[in-house]
Amino acid sequence: MKFNENLANLVSYEAGKPIELVVREYGIDAKDVIKLASNENPYGTSPAVVKAVGEIVNKMHLYPDDSYFELKAALASKFGVSEKSIVIGSGSDQVIEFAVHAKANANKGILTAGITFAMYEIYAKAAGAHVFKTKSKEHDLGEFLQIYNAKKDEIGVVFLCVPNNPLGGCLDAEEIYKFLEQIDADTLVVIDGAYQEFAKFKDAKKEIKPRELIAKFPNAIYLGTFSKAYGLGGMRVGYGIGEESVMSELGKLRAPFNITTLSLKAAIEALKDEEFVKMTLETNFEEMKKYEKFADKHGIKRLPSFTNFIVFEFERQNASELAQNLLKKGIILRDLKGYGLNAVRITIGLPSQNDVVLKQIGGNLK
Ligand SMILES: *Cc1c(COP(=O)(O)O)cnc(C)c1O
């Protein structure tokens, strides 16, 4: 059978390995597996969310309220924007897909950092769009502008991942605003804030305020997710915030009931428990210090992180081999070989998990 030719050069997104795989392949008890490969919340989910979802599990035969009225109202009030400037996605991944399909095609490509979230490229290629990347791995806005100015007519969407997954660095809000001033009103700029809660907790200069962003720059949209700080990765809820006329276009691409009845409830309740998020952020950066100290002590290169993960880059050590050795012990890390790096990305886990992981890495160092 012949398929759409855009699929020919598409590579599937490599998700973090699941706990089930380690149980099957290495015979390790599921409860002993330490999964620090997908930047999930190690503290789980707010107990209030678990309770609220438990109370409506008998409603799963019903479609959710497709207007997502209550969730949009809560997000609108949190960010000081109108309900009409919000689009809900099955994870913010889906809003990325809406953005790409709304603007990119065979004549209009996308522009991203050299190493960044892989889904931008996957959706772009699926739409037959060209992917322009900076040579710099992290976001170098000077280089972004150079490429943009040279290829303006061929670029429909610019992606800024702040903070950047899988590396962990983060642009300042001011730098982004200065950059936006030099971008045409017809180019969509997507600010992916999947880890914004972490970044602004660590450094106020990193905070992107969606209301301010879209008021100044109607061609920019902000993306947020419940998958990281809010601990709802398995529920698949994310959102986009943008100027109303932009979001009504993106919204045309949304299928009805694109999140579930249970996910909707979970997201609404999660927004009410900011204490849980605060605890997550505090412990994350406390625990990250263990990794920083360890790296410095052993001469491992670590990238500065404004997120819930840290990257260890190696010189002598083969990172893939290290990740494989740890996998056999039931520890799942993310090997960054696919990004051309001899490095692993480690989600900051529970204190006890971090101790085990560092001990195992230490035992494997060359
Ligand atoms: C996790 C992540 C997302 C979105 O995840 P969803 O679970 O689809 O909401 C988006 N961008 C980046 C950079 C991420 O790391």
Side-chain angles (χ1 to χ4, degrees):
M1 197 187 297
K2 279 199 180 119
F3 289 96
N4 186 334
E5 60 189 30
N6 296 335
L7 297 186
N9 60 353
L10 252 194
V11 189
S12 302
Y13 181 79
E14 190 203 334
K17 292 190 172 58
I19 291 173
E20 291 80 355
L21 176 133
V22 183
V23 172
R24 267 196 321 269
E25 293 199 357
Y26 302 105
I28 293 166
D29 231 30
K31 68 169 177 18
D32 296 328
V33 175
I34 298 180
K35 184 184 185 229
L36 299 177
S38 299
N39 305 336
E40 293 148 326
N41 191 321
Y43 299 93
T45 310
S46 149
V49 172
V50 176
K51 181 163 175 285
V53 171
E55 284 164 3
I56 64 151
V57 284
N58 61 345
K59 295 283 195 286
M60 65 170 88
H61 59 296
L62 296 175
Y63 283 122
D65 162 14
D66 185 57
S67 74
Y68 304 140
F69 177 82
E70 203 180 339
L71 176 57
K72 281 191 180 178
L75 286 168
S77 125
K78 176 179 167 72
F79 291 110
V81 298
S82 70
E83 277 91 343
K84 282 190 178 150
S85 47
I86 301 171
V87 164
I88 302 296
S90 172
S92 61
D93 260 323
Q94 197 178 37
V95 189
I96 295 170
E97 188 178 12
F98 297 159
V100 169
H101 283 281
K103 281 296 282 185
N105 54 44
N107 305 316
K108 290 277 184 189
I110 70 162
L111 172 60
T112 77
I115 294 185
T116 191
F117 193 48
M119 291 313 298
Y120 311 145
E121 177 165 357
I122 293 175
Y123 288 130
K125 285 188 171 164
H130 186 73
V131 180
F132 296 93
K133 286 184 192 177
T134 60
K135 286 206 183 69
S136 322
K137 296 170 189 159
E138 283 280 16
H139 295 76
D140 173 340
L141 291 181
E143 199 187 345
F144 265 77
L145 272 179
Q146 238 171 33
I147 299 176
Y148 180 76
N149 288 329
K151 300 282 179 186
K152 205 177 275 191
D153 297 339
E154 298 167 54
I155 294 172
V157 191
V158 177
F159 281 97
L160 301 180
C161 192
V162 273
N164 190 20
N165 178 17
L167 298 181
C170 190
L171 292 164
D172 286 355
E174 268 315 309
E175 296 177 90
I176 295 175
Y177 293 155
K178 285 209 183 93
F179 172 76
L180 281 163
E181 276 162 13
Q182 301 176 70
I183 300 296
D184 282 9
D186 191 48
T187 306
L188 182 67
V189 180
V190 178
I191 312 288
D192 186 342
Y195 304 92
Q196 265 286 312
E197 290 88 354
F198 294 93
K200 70 181 187 206
F201 179 84
K202 181 169 177 178
D203 181 349
K205 289 199 299 295
K206 307 295 178 189
E207 179 176 11
I208 310 280
K209 298 191 175 95
R211 175 196 163 94
E212 203 176 287
L213 174 78
I214 66 174
K216 275 194 200 151
F217 306 103
N219 61 323
I221 65 173
Y222 174 90
L223 307 186
T225 180
F226 287 91
S227 298
K228 310 287 164 48
Y230 288 92
L232 288 175
M235 287 306 232
R236 317 302 307 122
V237 192
Y239 52 90
I241 300 177
E243 217 260 319
E244 290 185 9
S245 63
V246 173
M247 297 325 266
S248 75
E249 289 300 308
L250 263 61
K252 290 178 183 172
L253 294 161
R254 186 184 68 83
F257 315 122
N258 62 324
I259 66 170
T260 72
T261 300
L262 302 187
S263 314
L264 178 60
K265 184 69 175 179
I268 292 166
E269 291 302 318
L271 284 175
K272 295 179 189 164
D273 192 354
E274 287 297 337
E275 271 306 305
F276 174 79
V277 175
K278 189 163 165 261
M279 176 278 292
T280 296
L281 302 175
E282 278 168 3
T283 41
N284 177 70
F285 288 110
E286 240 351 273
E287 285 297 303
M288 191 180 289
K289 288 182 193 156
K290 288 183 184 167
Y291 287 89
E292 293 169 346
K293 263 195 201 143
F294 178 91
D296 296 348
K297 181 175 158 201
H298 292 94
I300 300 166
K301 186 176 168 201
R302 58 176 170 90
L303 308 185
S305 169
F306 291 85
T307 62
N308 62 348
F309 59 81
I310 189 162
V311 171
F312 280 4
E313 203 176 353
F314 298 96
E315 275 174 18
R316 290 187 305 277
Q317 187 88 33
N318 180 323
S320 302
E321 206 177 281
L322 175 74
Q324 196 57 37
N325 285 345
L326 264 65
L327 195 60
K328 289 178 196 154
K329 305 267 185 199
I331 297 167
I332 318 176
L333 308 180
R334 179 62 79 93
D335 177 6
L336 296 183
K337 189 178 172 188
Y339 293 90
L341 294 177
N342 184 32
V344 291
R345 188 192 70 189
I346 310 165
T347 306
I348 309 301
L350 298 171
S352 59
Q353 294 178 319
N354 299 327
D355 295 341
V356 173
V357 169
L358 288 173
K359 185 155 170 258
Q360 288 295 339
I361 294 179
N364 273 277
L365 287 181
K366 291 203 171 117

